[in-house]
């Protein structure tokens, strides 16, 4: 019985079938690699978008920063729009500050007396109150401020006793570098204007003079106030004050 001999055509056909079978077996693996590559590309794109969003998104403010940038509103129940309250808050962050409360007693003194130990008065740093004057501890920029409140009584009869004297308030400075006193701030208010409502033959006009500005002061400078119509002054809590704080 003779052996079977494979013809060249048979060998070629067998090789093609083998290659085709191997290709069919490897095709699922190639498909999986393609899927994994697509997932990886999508993940990289998503990560890049997240990084871009984090970089360009506004950074959240801390509680302290939000409080510092918060502007006082008219409806603040704490009364933060009150100049007296706001000035005390600002001066509490200063290197040196002094806040004085004004009192007047015509039986004891002929001038407006300032005190750091009454009401909301205080001293911080090296400020001194000497002979009713504020003494500047060192040279630098300072915010100087003062307020005087008046209740002026106007006569009911026109021309009786002449026109009323308008209230005025002034801050003086005495410095060795200048050699004489100079006026830092001053203001005058008109009172007893016509057209007001009369009551019991007299009119009471309430008026407030507020002064405040930044100045370059020297060590040893003295600051004090001058106010007329002292009997008409309102010295209740927070109505009349005088202070300085370093910037």
């Amino acid at each position: 019985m003779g052996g079977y001999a494979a013809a060249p055509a048979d060998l070629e056909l067998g090789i093609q079938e083998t290659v085709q079978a191997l290709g069919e077996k490897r095709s699922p693996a190639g498909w999986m690699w393609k899927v994994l590559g697509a997932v990886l590309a999508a993940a990289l794109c998503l990560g890049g978008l997240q990084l871009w969003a984090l970089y360009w998104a506004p950074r959240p403010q801390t509680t302290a920063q939000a409080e510092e940038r918060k502007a006082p509103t008219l409806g603040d129940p704490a009364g933060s729009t009150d100049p007296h309250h706001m000035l005390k808050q600002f001066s509490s962050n200063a290197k040196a500050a002094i806040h004085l409360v004004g009192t007047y007693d015509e039986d004891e003194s002929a001038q407006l007396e300032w005190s750091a130990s009454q009401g909301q008065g205080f001293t911080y740093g090296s400020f001194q109150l000497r002979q009713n004057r504020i003494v500047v501890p060192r040279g630098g920029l300072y915010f100087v401020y003062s307020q005087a409140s008046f209740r002026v009584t106007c006569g009911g009869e026109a021309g009786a006793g002449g026109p009323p004297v308008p209230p005025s308030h002034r801050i003086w400075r005495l410095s060795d570098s200048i050699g004489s006193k100079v006026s830092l701030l001053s203001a005058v208010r008109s009172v007893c204007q016509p057209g007001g409502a009369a009551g019991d033959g007299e009119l009471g006009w309430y008026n407030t003079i507020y002064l405040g500005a930044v100045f370059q002061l020297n060590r040893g400078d003295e600051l004090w106030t001058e106010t007329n119509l002292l009997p008409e002054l309102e010295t209740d809590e927070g109505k009349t004050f005088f202070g300085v704080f370093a910037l």
Side-chain angles (χ1 to χ4, degrees):
M1 185 174 180
Y4 176 79
D10 295 336
L11 292 174
E12 183 178 354
L13 180 60
I15 293 172
Q16 290 179 354
E17 291 177 352
T18 303
V19 172
Q20 184 177 1
L22 291 174
E24 291 175 353
K25 291 181 179 180
R26 292 180 179 178
S27 59
W31 179 79
M32 291 179 62
W33 281 111
K34 291 181 181 180
V35 173
L36 289 175
V39 172
L40 180 60
L44 290 175
C45 292
L46 182 59
L49 290 175
Q50 290 179 344
L51 290 176
W52 181 86
L54 290 174
Y55 180 81
W56 289 104
R59 299 179 180 177
Q61 294 181 344
T62 62
T63 303
Q65 290 175 337
E67 290 297 328
E68 290 176 357
R69 296 186 181 184
K70 181 182 177 182
T73 59
L74 293 176
D76 190 345
S80 60
T81 55
D82 178 22
H84 188 279
H85 177 78
M86 293 171 65
L87 286 169
K88 188 171 183 179
Q89 283 188 327
F90 296 154
S91 61
S92 64
N93 297 323
K95 299 177 182 178
I98 183 171
H99 184 84
L100 307 174
V101 176
T103 59
Y104 172 71
D105 189 343
E106 58 183 349
D107 295 332
E108 297 182 0
S109 176
Q111 64 177 354
L112 176 61
E113 297 287 342
W114 298 109
S115 173
S117 59
Q118 297 184 11
Q120 300 186 60
F122 69 92
T123 58
Y124 175 75
S126 303
F127 274 109
Q128 295 182 10
L129 178 61
R130 187 168 60 202
Q131 295 180 350
N132 214 35
R133 298 183 178 187
I134 295 176
V135 181
V136 178
R138 61 181 64 86
L141 288 176
Y142 293 87
F143 186 79
V144 183
Y145 62 93
S146 185
Q147 176 176 295
S149 300
F150 299 88
R151 182 184 183 277
V152 180
T153 302
C154 303
E157 298 181 2
V165 178
S168 65
H169 189 51
R170 184 187 301 269
I171 299 177
W172 290 98
R173 173 193 178 191
L174 178 62
S175 178
D176 292 338
S177 61
I178 301 176
S180 62
K181 71 176 185 178
V182 294
S183 176
L184 284 186
L185 298 165
S186 64
V188 180
R189 291 287 184 268
S190 298
V191 296
C192 303
Q193 300 176 4
D200 297 333
E202 292 186 350
L203 298 177
W205 289 85
Y206 291 90
N207 220 316
T208 297
I209 297 177
Y210 175 80
L211 308 172
V214 176
F215 296 94
Q216 175 74 41
L217 303 178
N218 301 323
R219 179 180 179 181
D221 285 2
E222 297 181 0
L223 306 175
W224 71 97
T225 63
E226 180 181 343
T227 310
N228 70 343
L229 301 182
L230 294 179
E232 312 291 342
L233 270 176
E234 292 281 303
T235 57
D236 295 341
E237 186 69 23
K239 291 186 177 181
T240 299
F241 51 85
F242 180 31
V244 184
F245 59 85
L247 299 177

